[in-house]
């Protein structure tokens, strides 16, 4: 089953609007002519509309770094799925480890976000991953299973291309310490088997699973060569135009 690779840049809390537009234009330029892969960028909310406008027609997807479950209402500080769609977003990152560990988002909350995004027609990118303490205590698989099952509770999949999972070991995020290609493949295969249990094999083998955590231009090729690694969620290296351009042009 063919899964279109997805290279996603998570800009986190970086860039002013003008910096974001300049970077977005360079991403669009670097993505030109690459029909066999998808590219996504997730700027901060303040720059989303300008970035969406800047990459219009380039094929580059634009995503929110988070999204609320509700369509509107008294949710101070939140952004509704329809608001993201309105300015041209097609995807939303949900349950990123910084949301979980710095801002205390729970699996129940994350599950509601996935449901809300999906109902509105946004592609949810559900992030899961173990901390260093959990890995050292050999709890990696238990943590991934709990996060995946709770994050996907009640979520049905009509089109497997419209749901993305990101495996991001917390100890590898922003640390320069990437998971080895073997560690990544082992976790991705585990996640895919779980998806086959939650849904069915035919669906599981069409859902993309991204790796995230210190992906850079030197390690992207080896990671992308793993059978169950279908893309990358890139933080720090997505802020450098040249480096991200090389990541987009990964070689299998
Ligand atoms: P990093 O971040 O590439 O800077 O490690 C990845 C992420 O948090 O998505």
């Amino acid at each position: 089953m063919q899964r279109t690779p997805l290279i996603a840049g998570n800009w986190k809390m970086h860039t002013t609007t003008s910096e974001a537009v300049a970077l977005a234009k360079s991403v669009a330029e670097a993505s030109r002519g690459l029909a066999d892969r998808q590219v996504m960028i997730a700027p901060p909310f303040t720059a989303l509309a300008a970035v969406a406008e800047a990459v219009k027609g380039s094929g580059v997807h634009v995503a929110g770094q988070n999204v609320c479950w509700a369509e509107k209402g008294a949710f101070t500080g939140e952004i509704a799925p329809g608001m993201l769609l309105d300015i041209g977003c097609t995807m939303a990152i949900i349950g990123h480890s910084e949301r979980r560990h710095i801002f205390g988002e729970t699996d129940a909350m994350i599950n509601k976000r996935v449901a809300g995004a999906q109902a509105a027609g946004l592609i949810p990118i559900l992030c899961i991953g173990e901390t260093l303490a959990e890995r050292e205590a050999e709890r990696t698989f238990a943590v991934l299973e709990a996060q995946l099952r709770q994050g996907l509770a009640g979520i049905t999949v009509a089109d497997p291309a419209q749901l993305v999972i990101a495996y991001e070991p917390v100890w590898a995020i922003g640390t320069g310490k990437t998971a080895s290609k073997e560690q990544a493949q082992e976790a991705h295969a585990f996640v895919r088997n779980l998806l086959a249990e939650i849904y069915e094999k035919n669906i599981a083998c069409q859902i993309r699973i991204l790796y995230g955590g210190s992906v850079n231009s030197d390690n992207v090729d080896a990671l992308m060569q793993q059978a169950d690694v279908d893309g990358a969620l890139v933080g720090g290296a997505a802020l450098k135009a040249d480096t991200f351009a090389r990541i987009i042009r990964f070689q299998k």
Side-chain angles (χ1 to χ4, degrees), residues 118-139:
Q118 193 196 44
L122 284 170
I123 298 178
I125 301 179
L126 170 62
C127 303
I128 59 174
E130 82 287 359
T131 62
L132 184 59
E134 287 162 346
R135 177 163 281 264
E136 285 175 345
E138 295 183 358
R139 292 189 50 233

Side-chain angles (χ1 to χ4, degrees), residues 10 12 96 98 168 172-175 212-215 233-237:
N10 172 13
K12 307 192 181 185
H96 187 276
E98 285 144 24
E168 298 204 297
I173 295 178
T175 57
S214 298
V215 174
L233 184 50
V234 186

